[in-house]
Amino acid sequence: MASWKDNVRAVEPYTPGEQPQVKDIIKLNTNENPYPPARGVAEALAAFDAGRLRKYPTPDARELVEALSKAYGLPKEDIFVGVGSDDVLAMSFLTFFNSEKPILFPDVTYSFYDVWADLFKIPYKRVPLQDDWSVDTDAFCRENGGVVIPNPNAPTGLLLPLSEIEKILAANPASVVIIDEAYIDFGGESALPLLSKYENLLVVRTMSKSRSLAGSRIGFAFGNPELIRYLWDVRNSFNSYTMDSVTQAVGAAALADSAYFNDTCAKIIKTRTRFASEMKELGFTFPESSANFIFASHPDVDAAQLFADLKAAGIFVRYFPKGRTRDSLRITIGTDEEMDRLLAFLKDYLKK
């Protein structure tokens, strides 16, 4: 007998990191910034006229787009915004990946990519990372319906040099190549300089990590004007008012304080460097990270058990139990004090 269930679009959803609503924990599981947003963000919230909320926001997110244009020195026509980079990426999948050829992305990477591909019925192939967790760029230089590569990659933290990104772009003139730069502010060279050379390049960014605005959900993308127009057309066919007025004001305020932004990123990089050195002394191994996390394993420690024991001690990290990632934990870089508490726990743990 026919059932309404026969017509349901069933997918296996993305599993986000835990958001425990308890105090006195060390939360290093979702790559959030341990420092508050720029001071101007609080000022923008305090000054915001609540009366503006009775009206719809500008559908083109004008205030935020103008701030992004000023901050990055790119024309407004080259900029698209969305509710977090997840929204930007989902709209990009829907807009650009419509051929019968499979899109390509790494097999160990941001686990939302295959969810969107399944949701939108886009054929895809996972390209295996090499044994050292690096991206095999040659494997992306073949016929495809599109390419998505995070740089630095997650959860590995490894960075592709700009020359390798350009190699992929040059080999795929008939496909849109998306470079997901959610973590680029923590080390590495952005693909933005390649925009003027490759019209098939879309660079996606977020304010959730380096600008401490995960709670506001601000994502954006840069590309040639035609690419961006296609994105706006699809977004406006889906929901014309996604970026609310408060969020636009908050995002613009964060972008205005480049000194605070640079200082915060530098502090996280410094803490990452020190923490990585001390983890190596404890016997942990991991790829060299250019992100605000490390992806660590230990030859004498079961990752699943360590994950559970850390959680019991009020220290939350991220564990991906399937496949090649089952022996590693992704650890967000927090404050120096938080990382010291984690190191103290691990030192005692390894003595047992």
Side-chain angles (χ1 to χ4, degrees):
M1 181 180 294
S3 166
W4 60 269
K5 296 180 183 179
D6 296 336
N7 299 312
V8 169
R9 189 182 296 272
V11 295
E12 184 176 344
Y14 170 74
T15 303
E18 291 182 77
Q19 294 291 340
Q21 302 300 305
V22 294
K23 296 180 179 180
D24 300 322
I25 65 167
I26 299 176
K27 190 173 183 299
L28 307 174
N29 66 328
T30 50
N31 297 339
E32 294 150 329
N33 198 309
Y35 302 105
R39 183 178 302 174
V41 169
E43 295 171 353
L45 287 170
F48 188 83
D49 178 9
R52 291 175 57 186
L53 296 179
R54 69 183 182 84
K55 296 182 179 180
Y56 286 109
T58 54
D60 57 0
R62 191 172 309 141
E63 181 179 2
L64 182 59
V65 168
E66 288 176 352
L68 285 163
S69 176
K70 182 178 179 181
Y72 287 91
L74 290 169
K76 290 177 286 189
E77 294 75 20
D78 293 359
I79 301 170
F80 176 81
V81 301
V83 184
S85 60
D86 288 341
D87 181 42
V88 175
L89 288 162
M91 289 297 102
S92 300
F93 273 54
L94 191 59
T95 303
F96 301 121
F97 299 155
N98 289 294
S99 78
E100 295 180 356
K101 300 173 185 177
I103 65 171
L104 308 177
F105 49 81
D107 67 331
V108 178
T109 193
Y110 186 33
S111 54
F112 227 139
Y113 297 156
D114 55 352
V115 173
W116 289 317
D118 287 335
L119 179 64
F120 299 137
K121 301 189 181 303
I122 301 167
Y124 63 92
K125 289 184 178 179
R126 299 183 181 95
V127 178
L129 295 182
Q130 301 185 93
D131 290 342
D132 64 354
W133 297 109
S134 63
V135 171
D136 181 2
T137 52
D138 289 335
F140 287 89
C141 299
R142 55 173 162 158
E143 190 174 25
N144 60 74
V147 172
V148 188
I149 294 180
N151 200 39
N153 194 13
T156 66
L158 277 174
L159 180 82
L160 269 180
L162 198 58
S163 59
E164 294 296 292
I165 296 294
E166 185 163 13
K167 178 181 176 181
I168 293 169
L169 283 162
N172 292 286
S175 301
V176 171
V177 176
I178 298 175
I179 304 300
D180 182 353
E181 294 189 342
Y183 302 101
I184 196 67
D185 294 322
F186 301 109
E189 190 175 3
S190 171
L192 287 178
L194 299 177
L195 286 173
S196 59
K197 189 174 180 181
Y198 296 95
E199 64 178 16
N200 60 324
L201 169 62
L202 187 75
V203 178
V204 177
R205 297 280 195 90
T206 178
M207 293 195 193
S208 296
K209 318 299 184 183
S210 56
R211 296 190 188 271
S212 306
L213 289 176
S216 281
R217 313 305 300 126
I218 301 173
F220 50 102
F222 300 110
N224 81 74
E226 188 174 15
L227 214 65
I228 296 301
R229 280 199 302 273
Y230 281 125
L231 267 176
W232 282 113
D233 287 347
V234 170
R235 204 294 302 268
N236 288 331
S237 301
F238 188 82
N239 185 345
S240 296
Y241 298 105
T242 57
M243 183 61 68
D244 67 80
S245 301
V246 177
T247 300
Q248 288 189 54
V250 163
L255 288 163
D257 195 340
S258 58
Y260 181 81
F261 165 73
N262 291 330
D263 180 64
T264 300
C265 290
K267 285 197 294 187
I268 291 170
I269 292 169
K270 183 178 180 180
T271 301
R272 181 189 70 206
T273 301
R274 180 182 69 84
F275 177 69
S277 177
E278 297 199 37
M279 287 287 280
K280 288 178 182 177
E281 290 182 6
L282 293 177
F284 285 89
T285 60
F286 42 86
E288 183 177 353
S289 177
S290 294
N292 67 334
F293 56 83
I294 65 169
F295 190 55
S297 63
H298 195 288
D300 301 322
V301 176
D302 180 81
Q305 187 61 54
L306 177 56
F307 169 75
D309 291 338
L310 282 166
K311 184 175 179 180
I315 302 174
F316 285 72
V317 297
R318 193 77 191 269
Y319 179 51
F320 304 96
K322 297 180 181 179
R324 297 169 64 188
T325 61
R326 64 183 178 275
D327 296 324
S328 300
L329 298 178
R330 193 193 67 191
I331 304 169
T332 303
I333 303 301
T335 63
D336 283 320
E337 292 76 15
E338 288 174 328
M339 306 319 288
D340 286 341
R341 286 178 60 186
L342 172 57
L343 286 166
F345 175 92
L346 292 173
K347 290 174 183 177
D348 287 340
Y349 191 85
L350 292 170
K351 293 176 183 177
K352 297 177 182 178

